[in-house]
Amino acid sequence: MINIAVLGYGTVGSGVVEVINTNHKSINKKAGDEINIKYVLDLRDFPDDPVQEKIVHDFNIILNDPEIKIIAEVMGGVEPAYTFTKNALLAGKSVCTSNKELVAKHGAELLQIARDKNVNYLFEASCGGGIPIIRPLNSSLTADEIDEIAGILNGTTNYMLTKMAEEGSEYSDVLKEAQEKGYAERNPEADVEGHDACRKIAILSSLAFGRHVDFEDIYTEGITKISAADFKYAKVMNRAIKLLGFSKKVGTSFYAMVAPMMVSPSDPLYSVNDVFNAIFVHGNVLGDAMFYGRGAGKLPTASAVVADIVDEAKHLNRNIMSFWSSKKLELADVGESHRRFFVRVKGNIEEEKAHVEDVFGGVKYVQVPGLDGEFGFITGIITEGEYKEKADKLGSVISMIRMRNL
């Protein structure tokens, strides 16, 4: 019997308990031993739930119990999750987590402690919920040199953008609907401002490139400025608007960004809608691969956590290698990265055409019937820095969305 503890009995924590109870026979068979939940840590009591007999309120009970071999940390936030995780690893207990905030901030350090103590720190559920991506990056794709990762990494924003595209709704209306359905938090900032996607692409980039990518170094834009009018232009252009997190190696430089992008039908991310997530990976040998599924939710995320518990049960006292060095990867200035830009500007196209071409050179114009007093255009391939300089010079820009495909 392998005794485990679950830290946190919220949405994911209760899901972990449910998955283990529901599928205990197949889970035990795959683990090669019986997985027994001995403790569940939470500040609250649950008198009407069978889990109550396992509830403890003091982490030290778990830490000081030599029978506990594996801990599932599903509390969320950096503290006290970081302190609990670090102390557990130092005590020789393996830990798995769904906590992207913690992994993005302290992942390299916690992985090193796990290596030093010959235990494991696994975090499959931290990126993409139930989508298996961490394990493939750590094992299946090790023969490749990954040079690009791009993904729809947040189900809330993808749901909102899908609704805006399908119904022509404004941002504020779809946000309210997402909150009513439980897809968006009362304070949705982490999702809609891109912070959640930023942490996830930092984790994936660290694994893909082998050095620590600091999420605070990644240029991040959310979806709060996307409007129904933007989708009218996208429809005319036969494009979708997606919030993407991506990182790319260009020569010897590495770029990373989170921002809304115009995506073409030939792109594998084009048809990823609703609350689904997808992660596109390009390797120098493999070429293109994409991982797709439900990126969030109680049971999909819990399923990924339990998969890590099983992996740790199969590798007690043996570290599973992870190629994430604590050495920092210095990201190149995003202002030097190249792409096309879709730009909306005020005015009449016939009157402003000469000025636009004087500033931006050759462009492709886009007009939407019924949208008066403005027009759009697609630039040639220029750098982010050049775009900003030219937009300032033009002086009549309403908004800009980057083009994913050159």
Side-chain angles (χ1 to χ4, degrees), residues 139-151:
S139 54
S140 307
L141 301 178
T142 50
D144 271 76
E145 285 190 18
I146 305 299
D147 52 32
E148 182 181 5
I149 294 182

Side-chain angles (χ1 to χ4, degrees), residues 155 157-160 162-163 183 242 272-276 294:
T157 50
N158 204 44
Y159 169 83
M160 291 171 63
T162 301
K163 279 286 183 184
Y183 293 146
K242 303 292 185 183
V272 179
N273 292 317
D274 206 60
V275 295
F276 284 85
R294 289 191 177 273

Side-chain angles (χ1 to χ4, degrees), residues 264-330:
S264 72
S266 62
D267 193 300
L269 298 172
Y270 174 87
S271 57
V272 179
N273 292 317
D274 206 60
V275 295
F276 284 85
N277 285 190
I279 299 157
F280 166 90
V281 178
H282 183 271
N284 67 337
V285 178
L286 169 74
D288 296 341
M290 193 169 84
F291 302 82
Y292 170 85
R294 289 191 177 273
K298 176 179 177 176
L299 294 180
T301 305
S303 173
V305 174
V306 175
D308 279 347
I309 291 171
V310 170
D311 217 2
E312 291 181 339
K314 290 161 65 177
H315 297 90
L316 288 177
N317 306 312
R318 182 159 64 89
N319 181 257
I320 305 168
M321 286 300 292
S322 177
F323 302 96
W324 178 349
S325 165
S326 57
K327 185 178 179 183
K328 186 175 178 179
L329 180 67
E330 295 295 340

Side-chain angles (χ1 to χ4, degrees), residues 140-188:
S140 307
L141 301 178
T142 50
D144 271 76
E145 285 190 18
I146 305 299
D147 52 32
E148 182 181 5
I149 294 182
I152 296 169
L153 300 169
N154 183 272
T156 299
T157 50
N158 204 44
Y159 169 83
M160 291 171 63
L161 292 174
T162 301
K163 279 286 183 184
M164 291 177 77
E166 291 175 350
E167 300 175 2
S169 305
E170 290 291 356
Y171 166 82
S172 57
D173 296 325
V174 296
L175 173 59
K176 185 179 179 183
E177 185 180 334
Q179 288 172 321
E180 288 171 353
K181 289 194 171 184
Y183 293 146
E185 302 287 345
R186 185 174 296 175
N187 178 1

Side-chain angles (χ1 to χ4, degrees), residues 182-196:
Y183 293 146
E185 302 287 345
R186 185 174 296 175
N187 178 1
E189 182 180 347
D191 293 323
V192 300
E193 295 290 359
H195 304 318
D196 177 76

